[in-house]
Amino acid sequence: MATRVLQRVGNGLKHTKNVFQGNGQVTVVVRSLAGFREDSWFKSLFVRKVDPRKDAHSHLLAKKEDNNLYKIQFHNVKPECLDAYNELCEDVLPSIHADPEYPCELVGTWNTWYGDQDQAVHLWRYRGGYPALTEVMNKLRQNKEFTDYRKERGKMLLSRRNQLLLEFSFWNEPVPRSGPNIYELRSYQLRPGTMIEWGNYWARAIEIRQQNHEAVGGFFSQIGSLYQVHHLWAYKDLQSREDIRNAAWQREGWDEVVYYTVPLIQHMESRIMIPMKSSPTK
């Protein structure tokens, strides 16, 4: 079909040249407009059609059977304070995790090994969504141990940021793991409007990447940096990570997922992380 269209456009241009030589400028203008319309129609064949969406991404992509909200925290620590910071976290964070009065769980807490140096990453789960988050925040304001922790922590940090996340419906819920393991957090900044497309491809891709049980959790942002995705993986060591990732290319469909999802990405980042002593995931 495209060949026929090109032939028609070429014939039109040839005819226009002949008419110009015989009939003058006015006819050329008429033929040029016709050619422009035909050329525009030809180009429209290759424009990606986007289906209109009638629901929020969070409703289309998140799990329906539970109401979990996640918070991820990135703390950039003064290099000379990293050991003291880790000890402070080990004294306070597990007590919040274990207290039934707080509807939240510490999924994992890590130090970045490769990536941003002198960094801590904490992942919390709030069972009950935004009301649970609000309840925890209100109770922590009355918790003297926690307020003292925050004051002391503030002296050790260079910067910090956080995001609120939902988990993709096709990923497993993160659960504690026995170790030792290393963890990789792969973060993708997607082009606005491509989250549904990303979810469609990864709903198939995760089946390929589950065979070695390396998939821990998959999340997309709701508050903070938007159109951002985080995939969390666990490996025995760096060599097993290399072997597992290379093996994925031998499985049918993985190359297609990579081919179609790479154009959706504006920026991507990989962190290799080591669990802290207080982390439920080892």
Side-chain angles (χ1 to χ4, degrees):
M1 179 179 178
T3 302
R4 291 199 300 271
V5 172
L6 286 171
Q7 289 174 344
R8 290 177 61 191
V9 173
N11 292 337
L13 291 174
K14 181 178 179 181
H15 180 66
T16 299
K17 180 179 179 181
N18 293 337
V19 172
F20 173 77
Q21 292 173 346
N23 299 329
Q25 183 67 29
V26 174
T27 307
V28 170
V29 172
V30 175
R31 292 299 300 165
S32 296
L33 290 173
F36 174 78
R37 287 196 298 270
E38 188 171 42
D39 184 58
S40 298
W41 174 81
F42 171 70
K43 290 179 180 178
S44 72
L45 294 176
F46 301 97
V47 175
R48 184 166 63 98
K49 301 296 189 296
V50 179
D51 294 331
R53 299 296 175 187
K54 298 183 179 180
D55 208 347
H57 291 165
S58 58
H59 293 162
L60 296 171
L61 294 172
K63 292 182 178 179
K64 304 294 191 301
E65 63 273 16
D66 52 34
N67 188 24
N68 291 337
L69 180 70
Y70 291 81
K71 179 172 70 175
I72 191 167
Q73 300 172 300
F74 300 94
H75 290 173
N76 295 312
V77 185
K78 296 176 182 177
E80 66 273 16
C81 297
L82 186 59
D83 290 340
Y85 171 90
N86 288 346
E87 291 178 5
L88 184 65
C89 291
E90 290 163 10
D91 289 340
V92 178
L93 301 188
S95 63
I96 299 172
H97 170 77
D99 192 334
E101 293 297 315
Y102 295 92
C104 64
E105 303 162 5
L106 184 61
V107 176
T109 179
W110 304 269
N111 287 130
T112 302
W113 186 19
Y114 290 103
D116 292 331
Q117 297 294 283
D118 305 309
Q119 184 183 71
V121 180
H122 309 291
L123 181 63
W124 294 87
R125 174 168 50 223
Y126 298 87
R127 294 197 182 275
Y130 292 106
L133 171 68
T134 302
E135 179 183 348
V136 170
M137 294 299 100
N138 289 336
K139 288 181 176 179
L140 287 178
R141 291 191 186 99
Q142 310 303 318
N143 184 327
K144 186 177 185 306
E145 181 185 31
F146 182 77
T147 55
D148 290 345
Y149 154 79
R150 287 197 62 178
K151 289 178 183 177
E152 191 64 26
R153 185 190 68 185
K155 302 173 185 177
M156 304 178 183
L157 298 184
L158 294 170
S159 65
R160 59 192 177 99
R161 66 182 179 91
N162 59 22
Q163 285 178 295
L164 294 181
L165 314 170
L166 295 177
E167 57 187 330
F168 284 110
S169 60
F170 45 84
W171 279 72
N172 294 330
E173 181 178 293
V175 296
R177 294 183 176 224
S178 57
N181 293 298
I182 64 169
Y183 288 79
E184 181 177 18
L185 182 66
R186 296 178 72 86
S187 302
Y188 305 89
Q189 183 65 52
L190 303 186
R191 299 183 184 279
T194 62
M195 186 67 73
I196 297 294
E197 200 171 347
W198 178 275
N200 287 339
Y201 283 115
W202 268 95
R204 290 177 287 167
I206 194 61
E207 298 179 7
I208 301 173
R209 293 297 307 273
Q210 288 279 27
Q211 297 186 19
N212 294 285
H213 306 289
E214 70 268 27
V216 178
F219 314 93
F220 59 99
S221 59
Q222 286 292 285
I223 296 178
S225 296
L226 298 178
Y227 287 100
Q228 194 165 69
V229 169
H230 300 287
H231 292 174
L232 184 61
W233 309 90
Y235 304 99
K236 180 181 177 181
D237 51 38
L238 288 174
Q239 186 58 55
S240 67
R241 170 188 176 274
E242 179 76 3
D243 295 341
I244 289 171
R245 288 179 56 81
N246 286 340
W249 289 95
Q250 309 307 315
R251 301 191 184 110
E252 184 178 357
W254 180 249
D255 56 343
E256 180 182 348
V257 170
V258 173
Y259 178 82
Y260 285 108
T261 55
V262 164
L264 310 181
I265 301 170
Q266 288 184 328
H267 173 75
M268 60 186 294
E269 182 178 6
S270 170
R271 289 178 177 84
I272 301 296
M273 309 183 301
I274 304 297
M276 292 187 191
K277 292 179 182 178
S278 57
S279 179
T281 54
K282 303 300 183 183

